[in-house]
Amino acid sequence: MASSLFIGFLTTMALIAVIGAQNAFVLRQGIRGEHVVPVIALCTVSDLILIAAGIAGVGALITAHPTAVTVVKLGGAAFLIGYGLLAARRALRPGGLAPAEQTPTRLVEVLLTAAALTWLNPHVYLDTVVLLGSLANEHHEQRWLFGAGAVVASAVWFTSLGLGARKLAGLFAKPATWRVLDIVIAVVMIGLGAWMALS
């Protein structure tokens, strides 16, 4: 019984702890110290919904309709490339300010961006709904326990990333450091978007 919970936790940590669009955004908000808890909550609740959907069998439905996956993939690719270009623009802007010196972003804008980075990313569906859903269902009557472990892992990861990033705030006090981070974010976002569109 406990093994299904633990396996769900470890599997999700292995899948989620990679550099991606969603993680880069949570990291950036954490360093800025802006609307961090709502972003963590949105990402965690989104994972809860997606994991539950996968266990309930939505993953099989997705794989049966590849056209829908293609539409989501192209939409997600366009969004990621657009977000990456904005990050590149921030990085290359002469005389740019560190985010702490800029006007704070409204909560609704931050949450909409976090939601888009989560729900428009086809890899979220493939990893969370299809893969985790399939792995959970291999545990038969303990599949929901596996899912609980997966959700706990998601909550632990996003909380650690978002709140832990604040410890890097001193390092990011200078605009030059933010430029480096924005360049990394731009490369990751544009690279993921291009790969998604061409794959």
Side-chain angles (χ1 to χ4, degrees):
M1 184 175 178
S3 63
S4 294
L5 185 73
F6 189 60
I7 292 168
F9 182 90
L10 289 181
T11 304
T12 303
M13 285 300 276
L15 284 173
I16 204 172
V18 293
I19 295 175
Q22 189 185 46
N23 285 341
F25 184 75
V26 174
L27 178 66
R28 189 171 197 279
Q29 290 306 120
I31 294 169
R32 289 191 65 163
E34 186 179 73
H35 310 306
V36 184
V37 173
V39 168
I40 292 169
L42 186 144
C43 292
T44 303
V45 170
S46 294
D47 271 8
L48 186 153
I49 293 167
L50 291 163
I51 290 165
I55 296 172
V58 175
L61 196 62
I62 289 173
T63 53
H65 295 85
T67 305
V69 175
T70 301
V71 170
V72 172
K73 181 173 77 170
L74 293 176
F79 179 81
L80 288 176
I81 291 169
Y83 190 87
L85 290 173
L86 287 176
R89 183 181 162 204
R90 284 195 307 266
L92 300 174
R93 185 174 51 203
L97 299 172
E101 301 169 320
Q102 295 173 0
T103 305
T105 310
R106 292 185 306 150
L107 175 61
V108 66
E109 293 173 12
V110 170
L111 291 180
L112 284 173
T113 302
L117 289 170
T118 301
W119 293 91
L120 290 180
N121 184 353
H123 289 287
V124 168
Y125 297 96
L126 296 175
D127 289 347
T128 310
V129 180
V130 177
L131 181 58
L132 282 180
S134 300
L135 291 172
N137 281 304
E138 287 181 9
H139 289 255
H140 305 295
E141 68 276 1
Q142 293 184 15
R143 63 188 182 278
W144 291 106
L145 200 58
F146 179 99
V151 172
V152 169
S154 175
V156 168
W157 172 255
F158 287 123
T159 301
S160 301
L161 184 63
L163 298 182
R166 193 63 184 149
K167 296 186 182 299
L168 299 173
L171 179 65
F172 284 85
K174 297 179 180 178
T177 313
W178 276 100
R179 284 203 178 104
V180 172
L181 179 63
D182 278 328
I183 288 168
V184 171
I185 289 173
V187 169
V188 169
M189 299 286 187
I190 294 170
L192 281 173
W195 181 79
M196 219 181 280
L198 298 173
S199 65

